[in-house]
Amino acid sequence: MAYILGIESSCDDTSAAVLHDTLLLSNVMASQDVHKKYGGVVPELASRAHQQNIVPVVSQALEIAGIGVGDIDAIAFTRGPGLLGSLLVGTSFAKGLSLATKAPLIEVNHLTGHVLSHFIDTVSANGAETGTGIVRVRKPEFPFLCLLVSGGHTQILKVNAPLWFEILGQTIDDAVGEAFDKGAKLLGLEYPGGPHIDRLAREGDPQRFAFARPHINGLDFSFSGVKTSFLYFLRDRQAEDPHFIADNKAHLAAGLQETLIDILMEKVIRAVKSTGINRVALAGGVSANSGLRNRMVMEAKKRHWDIFIPPLSFTTDNAAMIAVTGYYKWLEGRTAGLDIVPVTRSSLMSER
Ligand code: KG4
Ligand code: ZN
């Protein structure tokens, strides 16, 4: 058994988590509100906030887990992808702690973390709750398909083993999270816009307005056309009626969300057909979207899929997913040296 400390600082959330093997003991998060008024993450401000948050967040994670720094068996940290200044804070902190405690370092790809969030145990073997308030999650059997949807990535993966992936399809331009956020910005909503679109869409009619759906071969995605179609549509209608956006916000949000979900689901359906694998998992920030979660449930019923939808606290960036990935690498003895440096751009590579 091992205590794994996970540290995540790739973008604008500072998070630390402690796992006992795969069992979650704590998952602490400090989100940064400072970016809201700028309409996007300001890298310089993000690094500064990480620097302020990292010590209290890690201390709190250890305290909630009921362990001291000396008990840590391995330190897993996000090496990338992400913002350099943000990654440097987590990486440097992890190195310092590793030097002080002699606990080995484990580098984690943030995207692998999102996928492996399905393997975090929230209830111990004897059925005891660990107090994190997260309900028991069911783990997918291998191989399974994973729709990974975040602010920076959109991919369909075949997951063969915890650290062995094949990319079946991915976006050729924007990520779906970006499409949510940019669409939201056009509607005058705060950053990040995805959750606002989600909330508004519940009160709107998704059929009222239609936006262009791309025709892309195979299992790849494209979202830049939707964004442009949305932009031009708003511009034209706003020119006729200056209150158009204000009067139709919920319908616009619902129409945009429906379009984005249709694009995602068309490819998931195709991936299940082409691989014959009917176990389908969702991962990444956009998997918090209630419309997408409902559509998955609906398609699963209709098509007899076995689906895995992460609890909300494991959808957006968190350190528990970094720690669980660290655990699987620790099992294989895959530790990193102190000369390791962050990588800002990396796609999900199989770890084998
Ligand atoms: O995984 P994540 O937290 O960070 C990245 O690794 O990028 O994903 C962030 C993305 C943002 O684009 C955000 O708007 C989107 O996830 N998101 C949502 C929802 N919650 C977060 N998009 C749609 N509906 C939501 N409820
Ligand atoms: Zn993420």
Side-chain angles (χ1 to χ4, degrees):
M1 298 288 276
Y3 286 109
I4 315 281
L5 171 69
I7 295 170
E8 155 64 34
S9 72
S10 63
C11 190
D12 59 342
D13 295 310
T14 320
S15 179
V18 176
L19 294 194
H20 196 205
D21 286 358
T22 55
L23 182 66
L24 184 67
L25 300 183
S26 63
N27 189 28
V28 177
M29 178 100 65
S31 297
Q32 305 178 1
D33 284 340
V34 58
H35 308 287
K36 275 188 183 162
K37 61 174 181 244
Y38 297 98
V41 176
V42 184
E44 192 78 5
L45 296 179
S47 332
R48 254 185 244 192
H50 282 305
Q51 196 67 260
Q52 276 164 351
N53 293 339
I54 190 113
V55 171
V57 162
V58 170
S59 305
Q60 207 184 333
L62 294 173
E63 195 183 317
I64 294 172
I67 66 165
V69 277
D71 299 317
I72 301 169
D73 293 295
I75 303 163
F77 68 97
T78 305
R79 184 184 181 196
L83 300 168
L84 182 65
S86 292
L87 291 165
L88 275 170
V89 176
T91 307
S92 306
F93 182 87
K95 287 182 185 180
L97 194 61
S98 170
L99 270 173
T101 61
K102 308 271 185 297
L105 281 175
I106 300 174
E107 52 128 341
V108 171
N109 179 316
H110 180 85
L111 300 167
T112 311
H114 274 303
V115 176
L116 296 189
S117 60
H118 288 280
F119 296 89
I120 303 164
D121 279 310
T122 54
V123 177
S124 68
N126 62 16
E129 279 283 346
T130 57
T132 52
I134 300 166
V135 292
R136 179 193 289 269
V137 290
R138 216 164 46 89
K139 298 180 188 185
E141 273 172 35
F142 299 103
F144 66 93
L145 300 179
C146 183
L147 177 66
L148 173 57
V149 278
S150 75
H153 293 79
T154 305
Q155 298 181 318
I156 298 186
L157 309 160
K158 179 172 170 237
V159 186
N160 298 313
L163 301 170
W164 179 17
F165 310 108
E166 289 167 60
I167 299 173
L168 304 182
Q170 57 192 328
T171 182
I172 58 169
D173 41 53
D174 293 347
V176 64
E178 255 178 294
F180 268 102
D181 294 341
K182 287 179 180 170
K185 200 169 179 179
L186 294 172
L187 295 180
L189 303 168
E190 265 184 353
Y191 179 87
H196 297 294
I197 297 273
D198 189 351
R199 179 179 42 79
L200 276 170
R202 284 177 218 161
E203 291 144 32
D205 172 7
Q207 310 303 332
R208 182 77 62 93
F209 306 117
F211 306 105
R213 279 138 171 93
H215 297 285
I216 308 290
N217 287 334
L219 297 176
D220 284 342
F221 303 93
S222 166
F223 294 99
S224 66
V226 182
K227 188 186 64 192
T228 313
S229 145
F230 193 61
L231 169 73
Y232 288 164
F233 178 79
L234 292 180
R235 202 187 53 185
D236 295 348
R237 302 299 287 265
Q238 202 54 17
E240 292 163 12
D241 167 13
H243 301 292
F244 179 73
I245 293 180
D247 292 346
N248 293 282
K249 221 172 242 187
H251 300 315
L252 290 164
L256 176 67
Q257 179 170 298
E258 184 84 350
T259 308
L260 298 175
I261 294 173
D262 284 350
I263 297 172
L264 292 172
M265 292 311 294
E266 183 200 338
K267 298 301 172 99
V268 173
I269 292 166
R270 215 181 270 183
V272 171
K273 282 189 183 146
S274 67
T275 58
I277 298 169
N278 74 344
R279 282 179 293 280
V280 187
L282 278 183
V286 179
S287 68
N289 185 267
S290 59
L292 178 60
R293 295 165 82 94
N294 291 339
R295 179 77 73 84
M296 279 288 288
V297 172
M298 212 185 76
E299 296 291 352
K301 259 193 203 138
K302 188 165 132 196
R303 299 170 194 278
H304 309 290
W305 294 350
D306 192 9
I307 54 167
F308 301 86
I309 298 181
L312 283 178
S313 39
F314 294 159
T315 56
T316 41
D317 294 347
N318 66 85
M321 69 187 198
I322 302 304
V324 79
T325 307
Y327 168 74
Y328 285 108
K329 295 186 92 164
W330 179 82
L331 282 182
E332 296 184 4
R334 293 166 62 178
T335 56
L338 283 170
D339 54 350
I340 190 116
V341 290
V343 284
T344 52
R345 285 177 168 272
S346 60
S347 60
L348 183 63
M349 307 272 273
S350 190
E351 308 261 359
R352 289 215 154 176

